[in-house]
């Protein structure tokens, strides 16, 4: 019992173990009960799954309130909402990747499931390193803040770009360095096929494996924005990690629910831009006002206001637009 009361990154070890156990239980339930077979996940099923993960993520704030108090709860909720919203960009990129490699919907859940496992580990490493750096060099928070403000302004004025993965450096590198087949072989990430020169059976990477690698790399890129954003909301590693993971756990369900209607959120990027600028500027506003920190409840309210306005504006501007923006490409195109 004394071991469980020891602190790890400023939080009792039993709280970390409880959270990790909960995450493992959710993943086992997801793969071992809900998705024992490969099937196409419809909108109704994805909405139920997404609602379940959102309820669990919000419900965890009750545990935070019980153990850590009101301020920590507001910080957790703000971080959770911000991470969930930033995941919209992830969904857009995931849709592009699946379209480019022509991954059927019945296999997409398998790719996303293993992708989420990798993300959980990678985010843990990044957050652990970030927490250590911030604890020893507090001024790094100002660099994070400036980076977010710069990123938000850049996103606000960025022009629309075409997303053609055929010229992607990572895709070209994998095709040069590894044996790759353009054909799917069921749900296999690696398939044994005859070598073109020797005729012997050798391992080939399938489009599922290429899509998985691309999704993992894409998350690393997005983490460069999202992890600093959360650290400017709270420097508590437990709040940073739990809010990140709960937002990511529901990413698969959110993808299947929104992939077909992403074009309705075409203008949400402006709200995300303003949100990044606001989150980055909080530390400077607090210094100017002589506050110890920006009030967490204000931060939560302003975050909801910005995102709510962005969603309403985007839905209003795209009302009647039934044409999606995500084009599908096969590997041979």
């Amino acid at each position: 019992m004394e071991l469980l009361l020891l602190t790890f990154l400023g939080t009792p070890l039993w709280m970390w173990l409880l959270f990790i156990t909960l995450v493992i239980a959710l993943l086992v339930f997801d793969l071992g009960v809900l998705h024992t077979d490969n099937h196409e996940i419809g909108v109704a099923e994805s909405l139920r799954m997404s609602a379940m993960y959102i309820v669990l993520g919000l419900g965890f704030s009750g545990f935070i309130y019980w153990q850590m108090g009101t301020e920590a709860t507001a910080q957790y909720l703000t971080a959770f909402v911000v991470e969930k919203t930033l995941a919209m960009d992830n969904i857009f990129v995931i849709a592009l990747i699946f379209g480019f490699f022509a991954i059927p919907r019945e296999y997409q859940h398998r790719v996303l499931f293993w992708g989420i496992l990798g993300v959980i580990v990678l985010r843990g490493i990044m957050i652990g390193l970030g927490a250590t750096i911030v604890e020893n060099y507090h001024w790094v928070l100002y660099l994070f803040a400036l980076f977010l403000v710069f990123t938000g302004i850049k996103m606000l004025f960025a022009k629309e770009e075409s997303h053609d993965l055929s010229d992607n450096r990572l895709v070209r590198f994998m095709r040069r360095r590894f044996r790759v087949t353009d054909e799917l072989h069921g749900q296999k990430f690696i398939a044994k096929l005859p070598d073109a020169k020797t005729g012997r059976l050798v391992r080939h990477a399938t489009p599922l494996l290429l899509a998985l690698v691309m999704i993992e790399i894409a998350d690393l890129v997005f983490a460069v924005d999202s992890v600093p954003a959360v650290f400017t909301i709270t420097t508590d590693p437990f709040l940073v990690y739990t809010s990140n993971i709960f937002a990511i756990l529901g990413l698969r369900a959110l993808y299947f629910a929104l992939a077909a209607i992403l074009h309705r959120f075409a203008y949400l990027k402006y709200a995300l831009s303003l949100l990044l600028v606001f989150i980055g500027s909080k530390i400077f506003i607090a210094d100017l006002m002589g506050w110890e920190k920006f009030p967490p409840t204000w931060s939560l309210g302003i975050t909801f206001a910005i995102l709510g306005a962005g969603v309403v504006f985007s839905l209003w501007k795209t009302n009647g637009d039934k044409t999606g923006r995500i084009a599908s490409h096969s590997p041979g195109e």
Side-chain angles (χ1 to χ4, degrees):
M1 288 297 294
E2 292 183 2
L3 178 63
L4 296 178
L5 296 177
L6 295 176
T7 59
F8 175 69
L9 295 177
T11 302
L13 185 60
W14 72 267
M15 292 176 63
W16 286 103
L17 294 176
L18 178 66
F19 174 71
I20 292 172
T21 302
L22 176 61
V23 170
I24 293 174
L26 287 172
L27 292 175
V28 170
F29 177 73
D30 193 327
L31 189 65
V33 178
L34 297 181
H35 301 100
T36 54
D37 60 336
N38 292 313
H39 66 278
E40 182 174 330
I41 297 178
V43 175
E45 181 182 355
S46 62
L47 286 175
R48 288 194 300 269
M49 290 171 56
S50 186
M52 179 190 76
Y53 281 113
I54 290 174
V55 168
L56 287 172
L58 295 176
F60 193 74
S61 66
F63 175 76
I64 298 293
Y65 176 78
W66 176 43
Q67 289 294 321
M68 305 176 71
T70 304
E71 183 174 315
T73 304
Q75 292 173 343
Y76 167 83
L77 288 172
T78 304
F80 176 74
V81 171
V82 169
E83 285 296 312
K84 203 73 174 176
T85 308
L86 290 175
M88 291 291 292
D89 276 349
N90 295 52
I91 292 173
F92 179 77
V93 172
I94 289 170
L96 286 172
I97 292 171
F98 281 153
F100 175 77
F101 290 109
I103 307 298
R105 287 181 65 88
E106 59 264 30
Y107 298 141
Q108 291 177 4
H109 179 271
R110 176 176 171 81
V111 177
L112 289 176
F113 177 86
W114 291 107
I116 293 299
L117 284 181
V119 168
I120 289 174
V121 175
L122 292 173
R123 287 290 176 100
I125 295 172
M126 293 184 68
I127 290 169
L129 291 174
T132 303
I133 293 171
V134 169
E135 183 178 0
N136 291 281
Y137 308 99
H138 189 266
W139 53 267
V140 171
L141 283 177
Y142 291 89
L143 294 182
F144 284 170
L146 286 172
F147 174 73
L148 292 176
V149 172
F150 171 76
T151 302
I153 294 174
K154 182 180 177 182
M155 186 188 301
L156 190 63
F157 296 101
K159 296 180 180 179
E160 290 290 337
E161 299 178 357
S162 60
H163 300 274
D164 184 5
L165 294 182
S166 60
D167 292 329
N168 184 274
R169 292 180 181 179
L170 180 59
V171 173
R172 290 184 300 181
F173 173 82
M174 289 189 292
R175 291 189 182 280
R176 284 198 312 267
R177 297 292 182 178
F178 306 104
R179 297 185 182 92
V180 175
T181 175
D182 289 335
E183 298 178 359
L184 290 167
H185 293 267
Q187 61 177 353
K188 295 179 179 179
F189 290 109
I190 297 176
K192 284 189 174 182
L193 302 171
D195 183 82
K197 296 180 179 179
T198 65
R200 293 184 304 169
L201 290 178
V202 292
R203 291 182 176 87
H204 286 68
T206 70
L208 259 65
L209 182 60
L210 298 187
L212 176 61
V213 173
M214 290 290 292
I215 288 172
E216 294 289 359
I217 298 300
D219 180 76
L220 277 177
V221 174
F222 283 114
V224 173
D225 287 339
S226 63
V227 171
V230 179
F231 270 112
T232 56
I233 295 170
T234 175
T235 57
D236 188 310
F238 186 75
L239 298 179
V240 174
Y241 189 64
T242 53
S243 60
N244 256 260
I245 299 307
F246 265 122
I248 291 168
L249 280 175
L251 184 61
R252 303 184 313 284
L254 196 62
Y255 165 77
F256 289 109
L258 298 182
I261 57 171
L262 276 178
H263 62 285
R264 294 298 309 276
F265 297 94
Y267 296 90
L268 188 60
K269 75 167 189 175
Y270 299 111
L272 292 177
S273 304
L274 294 176
L275 181 60
L276 290 177
V277 172
F278 164 67
I279 292 173
S281 63
K282 287 194 308 173
I283 190 171
F284 301 108
I285 295 174
D287 286 348
L288 288 174
M289 299 298 294
W291 298 336
E292 182 180 352
K293 64 176 63 176
F294 196 92
T297 52
W298 290 18
S299 181
L300 180 60
I302 294 172
T303 297
F304 271 116
I306 292 174
L307 295 180
V311 170
V312 171
F313 179 77
S314 192
L315 292 176
W316 172 65
K317 289 289 289 184
T318 59
N319 186 33
D321 180 9
K322 298 182 180 180
T323 60
R325 293 171 178 256
I326 301 172
S328 296
H329 304 278
S330 65
E333 289 179 338

